[in-house]
Amino acid sequence: MMGVKQAIKKLDAFPRAEEHLLQKTRSGAVVSLMGLVIMATLFLHELRFYLSTYTVHQMSVDLKRGETLPIHINMTFPSLPCDVLSVDAIDMSGKHEVDLDTNIWKLRLNNYGHIIGTEYLSDLVEKEHSHSHGDEKDHPDDTNHKIHLQGLDQETENMVKKVKQAMANGEGCRVYGVLDVQRVAGNFHISVHGLNVFVAQMIFEGSNHVNVSHMIHDLSFGPKYPGINNPLDGMARTLHQAIGTFKYYIKIVPTEYRYLSKEVLPTNQFSVTEYFSPMHDFDRTWPAVYFLYDLSPITVTIKEERRSFLHFITRLCAVLGGTFALTGMLDRWMYRLIEAVMKPKPRIVL
């Protein structure tokens, strides 16, 4: 029995020295305190790293059908009053989306950008479009405005005077809200196309005086998730001399964000290509800001995940053990250095 105990003692990798053989030094205390501070710092860093999440991206074929696509708009037009702006939408088949679940507001802005009035829009779809989202209608729609001018001359004149006065005062307009459209390729654009062509001519005296300078505060196709990057947010385009039409070609990628709590957030991210088409004196088109979008057949799934507890323990042991070993080596080096410096030199006797 005693032999077994002795054999077990020989396996001890951490032998203890007698208390009177241990020597505590001032340098050892300094190194010990440094080691404790380093280990505490590294422990907190590893704990924060373990508690944080990371994302994993997966791709698959988009199987969604029959759903709507939300378009969140928040834009400012500093050079156009709200009375002349309209928001128009159409899908690639040319179907008139007169039953859109639309919530769009227009805010009148003075020349300092302060709000001076509000208008709610309920019917934002032009009544006649071509049957392809790539073939846009670039002039104000007068088909829906065939009116008897004899009966509305005074009303039209008052409207023209009001708009001209607003333009003289430097009024602008902020358009914001949500468009719910069919989940197919299409376009929406903000322009003066809602005006009768004759009224537009009376107000602007030609399409080359329509300045569609704009700032995009927010443009998205669904709710935002952590880390999303909408490339058009905060972008401004200002025209000083050149007048023309802006076109943004957008490729929408359906996206699902899965939180650590298993909650799923369906949304969309997108990429964009910008194109500016300048106006010429002989052009009969009218400036506008177009957003032409198409959907990718691939959906991206982003999953939040957390590192395993075993991974955390492994890293923690490596960090703390490495720090302990390093401080032990440093203590021995410092002790030998101090001992070599403080050791008295032998005297030479003649």
Side-chain angles (χ1 to χ4, degrees):
M1 191 68 179
M2 292 297 294
V4 174
K5 291 183 179 180
Q6 292 296 327
I8 293 176
K9 286 184 179 181
K10 291 181 179 180
L11 297 176
D12 185 8
F14 308 98
R16 306 296 191 276
E18 296 292 338
E19 186 69 26
H20 67 277
L21 297 177
L22 298 176
Q23 182 179 0
K24 296 184 178 181
T25 61
R26 201 172 293 173
S27 62
V30 172
V31 173
S32 299
L33 289 176
M34 289 175 54
L36 288 174
V37 171
I38 293 173
M39 285 190 285
T41 303
L42 293 178
F43 171 77
L44 294 176
H45 178 270
E46 289 298 324
L47 182 61
R48 189 182 302 113
F49 182 73
Y50 165 69
L51 295 177
S52 64
T53 59
Y54 65 98
T55 56
V56 176
H57 293 67
Q58 299 174 343
M59 292 187 294
S60 60
V61 177
D62 184 21
L63 302 177
K64 294 179 181 178
R65 294 293 182 271
E67 298 183 8
T68 58
L69 177 69
I71 305 175
H72 299 261
I73 309 171
N74 190 349
M75 298 178 62
T76 294
F77 291 82
S79 302
L80 292 175
C82 288
D83 290 325
V84 302
L85 280 179
S86 65
V87 183
D88 312 303
I90 187 174
D91 63 31
M92 66 180 299
S93 66
K95 182 179 179 181
H96 298 169
E97 298 287 350
V98 294
D99 292 327
L100 280 174
D101 183 14
T102 301
N103 295 287
I104 297 291
W105 293 82
K106 291 195 298 187
L107 302 178
R108 293 175 56 205
L109 307 176
N110 60 19
N111 56 346
Y112 297 106
H114 299 151
I115 299 172
I116 56 176
T118 305
E119 180 182 351
Y120 177 71
L121 305 183
S122 59
D123 186 7
L124 304 173
V125 184
E126 288 186 305
K127 301 302 180 184
E128 290 194 4
H129 292 273
S130 60
H131 293 280
S132 171
H133 79 280
D135 182 16
E136 303 99 12
K137 198 172 186 68
D138 283 318
H139 58 81
D141 177 22
D142 60 337
T143 305
N144 192 47
H145 294 274
K146 290 181 178 179
I147 57 176
H148 298 288
L149 295 178
Q150 293 83 356
L152 295 179
D153 274 346
Q154 188 61 43
E155 182 180 346
T156 303
E157 185 178 345
N158 292 338
M159 184 264 191
V160 171
K161 287 181 178 179
K162 177 183 176 183
V163 173
K164 285 191 172 183
Q165 183 61 42
M167 294 176 64
N169 294 337
E171 276 194 28
C173 186
R174 185 164 185 168
V175 181
Y176 73 96
V178 181
L179 287 171
D180 285 316
V181 299
Q182 289 186 349
R183 198 178 181 83
V184 294
N187 81 77
F188 66 95
H189 52 278
I190 305 175
S191 62
V192 298
H193 294 176
L195 294 175
N196 178 282
V197 63
F198 303 109
V199 174
Q201 190 68 32
M202 292 171 63
I203 293 174
F204 297 103
E205 300 176 357
S207 60
N208 56 348
H209 294 134
V210 179
N211 188 341
V212 291
S213 297
H214 59 278
M215 170 175 272
I216 302 175
H217 305 286
D218 175 52
L219 180 67
S220 57
F221 296 86
K224 296 183 178 181
Y225 61 84
I228 191 172
N229 178 29
N230 293 326
L232 291 178
D233 287 2
M235 194 191 70
R237 292 292 179 264
T238 304
L239 298 175
H240 298 288
Q241 296 180 350
I243 299 298
T245 295
F246 290 91
K247 296 180 181 179
Y248 298 96
Y249 296 91
I250 296 173
K251 177 66 75 172
I252 300 173
V253 181
T255 304
E256 282 188 351
Y257 193 90
R258 298 179 179 271
Y259 289 94
L260 203 62
S261 60
K262 306 303 180 181
E263 180 185 355
V264 179
L265 178 68
T267 183
N268 300 278
Q269 52 186 326
F270 66 93
S271 62
V272 63
T273 302
E274 178 186 356
Y275 176 72
F276 175 72
S277 176
M279 298 284 298
H280 303 286
D281 294 336
F282 53 84
D283 286 342
R284 299 182 62 186
T285 57
W286 291 75
V289 179
Y290 281 88
F291 298 90
L292 303 101
Y293 57 87
D294 195 4
L295 284 91
S296 169
I298 301 298
T299 183
V300 175
T301 301
I302 305 174
K303 297 172 60 178
E304 284 187 349
E305 292 190 0
R306 178 169 290 166
R307 297 160 187 87
S308 67
F309 182 72
L310 185 60
H311 184 260
F312 168 67
I313 294 298
T314 303
R315 290 177 59 98
L316 194 62
C317 291
V319 168
L320 299 183
T323 305
F324 185 80
L326 184 62
T327 52
M329 292 171 56
L330 183 62
D331 176 55
R332 287 193 295 272
W333 293 340
M334 288 185 63
Y335 176 76
R336 291 176 182 175
L337 178 63
I338 294 173
E339 189 179 46
V341 171
M342 300 298 293
K343 187 176 181 180
K345 296 181 181 180
R347 296 180 181 180
I348 301 175
V349 180
L350 298 176

